[in-house]
Amino acid sequence: MDETGRHPLRVVLRQAQRVLARAGVASPRVDAELIAAHVLDVDRGRLPLVGPLDDRTVARIDGLVARRATRVPLQHLLGHAAFGPLTLAVGPGVFVPRPETELLHEWGLAALRGVSEPLVVDLCTGSGALALALAAARRDATVHAVELDPDALAWARRNAEERAADGDRPVVLHAGDVTDPTLLADLDGRVDLVVCNPPYVPLATPVPPEVAGHDPARAVFGGEDGLSVIPHVVRTAARLLRPGGAFAMEHDDTHRDQVLALLAARGGFTGGTALDDLTGRPRFVTARRTG
Ligand SMILES: C[S@@+](CC[C@H](N)C(=O)[O-])C[C@H]1O[C@@H](n2cnc3c(N)ncnc32)[C@H](O)[C@@H]1O
């Protein structure tokens, strides 16, 4: 506290960082700064310009830091997550979109180059991240998104309404199950791009407290071996895609060979390719539907 009874921000941040580091938070400095920026309603980059804080503001920052120290995801505390150029509302009941999934978005966009008015399907949409990012980047696209969990679907709906209000073509949301062999049957053989980030973590895999306690289990775990949903996604994609249509799916870094084998066994795909994430781990497969 300074002589006027106010608190220099750097002191508040240093204390917050200590609390978060003790709690095992992976990026204590970034999280402390983002929480302070949120409370102060400024961009993180402008924090150095902020003057000393009053007791009430410090209490609000400390309160959020204390919750973050119990490993509530930062995005739940802020109420939103960044996904590519989008800011999506997230909170309890929906999977927080991850930066690595942006690679799927970029691959999908590249695959649509030269296709006008593309028809796109995002299976297992969660917050709507992939579907909404694709719709934002391709205003001529018709994008369908499927989600099984009603809570997650409610977040997707909220995000979709916000994007549509901002001028994007509305995404068509479906309450549906990717294991249903009749899912979106009216689109059979017509879709230009299918993307999917399904649940794929094997049940016994240890996950951080943010995931274990706050991401819905149905969004994360794909049964005993992590592969309970993926074969259905492959089957559905094969049915929906037109000849030459593109398919991209995220998977666990231990599943590359099994997922490529599933694609080969299903048949109807060509050019099955494994892609690495930015840390060099195999995390995606891509392929094209044969004619
Ligand atoms: C890993 S999350 C991905 C969410 C979003 N695509 C993203 O990348 O942020 C998987 C999502 O699939 C949904 N899901 C799980 N099983 C499903 C099924 N059988 N059919 C449709 N959606 C399912 C979960 O509820 C969850 O929202």
Side-chain angles (χ1 to χ4, degrees):
M1 197 185 296
D2 65 14
E3 59 286 355
T4 64
R6 290 163 73 88
H7 308 259
L9 179 60
R10 76 187 143 68
V11 175
V12 175
L13 285 175
R14 209 179 307 129
Q15 170 60 13
Q17 264 185 66
R18 266 198 295 269
V19 171
L20 296 178
R22 257 200 313 270
V25 169
S27 47
R29 178 172 172 197
V30 175
D31 285 30
E33 290 180 1
L34 286 171
I35 287 171
H38 172 72
V39 168
L40 295 165
D41 198 20
V42 296
D43 284 343
R44 182 176 162 215
R46 297 189 72 80
L47 286 176
L49 307 178
V50 171
L53 310 179
D54 59 29
D55 289 345
R56 219 171 130 249
T57 307
V58 173
R60 283 182 63 209
I61 293 174
D62 287 349
L64 287 178
V65 167
R67 290 185 64 204
R68 182 71 187 101
T70 68
R71 307 297 293 269
V72 175
L74 177 70
Q75 295 86 348
H76 283 204
L77 299 175
L78 305 183
H80 55 78
F83 188 75
L86 303 187
T87 300
L88 299 168
V90 293
V94 73
F95 183 83
V96 174
R98 307 295 205 263
E100 59 265 29
T101 307
E102 291 178 22
L103 290 177
L104 215 55
H105 163 61
E106 282 162 24
W107 189 90
L109 272 186
L112 290 179
R113 229 170 267 143
V115 184
S116 65
E117 312 243 313
L119 187 54
V120 175
V121 172
D122 173 21
L123 299 170
C124 303
T125 198
S127 61
L130 280 165
L132 295 168
L134 288 164
R138 284 295 302 260
R139 297 275 172 110
D140 61 335
T142 301
V143 182
H144 294 258
V146 177
E147 173 58 50
L148 177 64
D149 184 331
D151 292 336
L153 194 62
W155 285 101
R157 188 162 297 119
R158 172 173 165 186
N159 285 317
E161 282 167 5
E162 272 182 29
R163 293 304 314 156
D166 271 5
D168 290 353
R169 185 183 280 189
V171 163
V172 189
L173 290 173
H174 303 263
D177 186 341
V178 81
T179 68
D180 171 4
T182 65
L183 180 71
L184 304 182
D186 50 327
L187 303 182
D188 277 1
R190 294 172 44 209
V191 176
D192 297 291
L193 170 70
V194 173
V195 288
C196 181
N197 177 17
Y200 56 67
V201 177
L203 258 182
T205 309
V207 292
E210 286 86 348
V211 177
H214 301 278
D215 277 325
R218 179 192 268 169
V220 175
F221 297 104
E224 224 39 28
D225 60 358
L227 291 166
S228 62
V229 175
I230 281 179
H232 298 282
V233 173
V234 170
R235 263 197 298 277
T236 305
R239 177 167 56 75
L240 294 175
L241 286 169
R242 64 160 169 84
F247 175 52
M249 178 177 63
E250 192 168 317
H251 61 70
D252 189 72
D253 59 2
T254 61
H255 285 157
R256 178 189 55 194
D257 295 344
Q258 278 131 302
V259 175
L260 286 173
L262 269 172
L263 280 178
R266 166 60 185 75
F269 287 101
T270 182
T273 305
L275 298 180
D276 292 348
D277 67 13
L278 297 175
T279 65
R281 294 175 307 157
R283 295 296 304 282
F284 310 94
V285 291
T286 61
R288 291 271 176 182
R289 186 77 170 97
T290 50

